[in-house]
Amino acid sequence: MDITVSEKYLWFPVDMSGEMVWVSVYDGDQKIQEMKVSLGKEHIDFYGVWKATEYLGKELRIVSEKGEEYLDGVDIRQEKTRPQNDYPYRPRLHYTPAYGWVNDPNGLVYVDGVYHMFHQYNPYSTEWQNMSWGHATSTDLVTWEHHGDAISPDALGTIFSGSCVVDKDNTAGFGDGAVIAFYTSASDRQVQSMAYSLDNGKTFKKYARNPILTSTQRDFRDPKVIWHEDTKKWIMVLAVGQEMEIYSSADLKNWTLESKFGEGQGAHGGVWECPDLLELPIEGTELKKWVLVCNLNPGGPFGGSATQYFVGTFDGKRFVNESPAVTKWMDWGKDHYATVTWSNAPAGRAIALAWMSNWQYANDVPTRQYRSANSVPRDLSLYTSEGETYVKVTPSPELLKLRDKGSKKRAFKVDRTYNLDKLLNDNSGTYEIEMTIKNKDADVIGFQLFNSKGEEVEMYYNLAEKTFTMDRTKSGEVSFSKDFPAVTVAPVEGGNEMKLRLFVDKSSIEAFGNDGRFAMTNLVFPSEPYNRISFYAKGGSCNVTSFTVYKLGLK
């Protein structure tokens, strides 16, 4: 099939029920794009979009591994803009791709007032394939502008996860303040590559001497690069099987293996992925400790994917975990994975973002023209409890600015139902609830969010067992995977007063308890918004309780 490019974008029709086929685009004899896609004819689920600006006026040849007949009847449209899609489950508060598949956040970096979020991206399907880096930017961590592909596959392979740094002192020689991306090139083996940007992360040029690091290991990926001030060196942490390898470099090009971490540490139910290494302050002190973030799949506390972490020391060569016998989880839900933090964040903040899904069912969730979203941004710090140091996960303060000033606090009574439609005046399915519970002598205090279809999510504190539970088994559409209807449980520190913040979106609920001392993230797929809330107590009574429902000022 020959196409003369006359518009900025080519729209490829996608039928998700069809066979995935390799399709290539040629400019003369040069292959300029390759994708694995099921092209639609009679039935089209959505359009995968390729930006063809640099080929305007040129004749391109499109071929498939199935031959010319496969392309007969395929209407590849040419348009000036990207398609605008808005489906029932698409969240308003959380980032999603306009179309296609997204997973791990990659290359999070802050440059000149702009938060850059790159991510694993497949623009031609809503299943994992064709991995590249998608790109979006924000000035407030809430409203995101899509920019399409940032780093695309090449002869070394597809583009897996990684990180970005700002090379302020030009240690790599690309220029002062160059934004440098590190990523895994994946084909029959996994190697580490780099690309650099001289326009503050808008566009990247791949390093001519890639790869910069190789290995004989099968799983060798997800480079996280940081600057270590004490040794005046760059540090790279790589996920290698079920351990981490730590490298150092003076110029970001030549790397020396310093140590390995992992044997006998934490959970080992599956492969380790997406590491992060950062130093965090301990609240109430002037001290800091190092945290090594390690995403794990499978082996999470409730099956599948999860984020664990280790607290300890790091001297520029070796990380030492201070509590080898303890496994620590950053989030107690089913849908919080690939957690990484922004590089070069303002005011020394540690701002984390996670992929909001689980590999047990990520390819099967009931969305069509897109799949997956990111969590809300979260600021990380440390706190101590009973001799252990833990990560505190607090919703980033930017989220407070979304609260509608007309929201009002309500004292609530048990065994009573409240109409959220009336409290919000307009229930789009996206809102925040903040509540305080002062217990008297109850064993369990809980509530249900539900709708007129009988779909509900139940959450409750068990005071005797010191746990918080979220039950999504009746939350809406759950039949797409046996692993989806789940009950998740988090440990809660003792005390008669408990605080809870909930971010409810069209297809997710994120709970933050006791000022971020625990977090729980779960997807939900109700057929209509949850518009009622009902409270209850068992084994006794509550004392003083209140809640506030915030309408969120989202564009």
Side-chain angles (χ1 to χ4, degrees), residues 14 33 46-49 99-101 121-125 130 132 149:
V14 177
Q33 184 71 7
F46 71 99
Y47 285 92
V49 179
Y99 46 84
W101 162 278
Y121 186 43
N122 179 6
Y124 309 112
S125 174
N130 304 313
S132 60
D149 289 11

Side-chain angles (χ1 to χ4, degrees), residues 400-432:
L400 292 171
K401 300 176 183 178
L402 297 175
R403 291 177 172 180
D404 187 280
K405 294 180 181 179
S407 301
K408 296 180 181 179
K409 181 179 288 189
R410 298 284 193 279
F412 68 78
K413 298 179 180 179
V414 297
D415 301 322
R416 180 174 173 181
T417 297
Y418 295 83
N419 187 327
L420 298 180
D421 289 344
K422 290 183 178 180
L423 294 177
L424 292 166
N425 195 31
D426 176 24
N427 184 7
S428 65
T430 302
Y431 48 87
E432 179 188 351

Side-chain angles (χ1 to χ4, degrees), residues 458-469:
E458 183 177 10
M459 287 167 263
Y460 55 90
Y461 284 104
N462 187 312
L463 283 300
E465 297 179 2
K466 296 183 179 180
T467 57
F468 173 81
T469 296

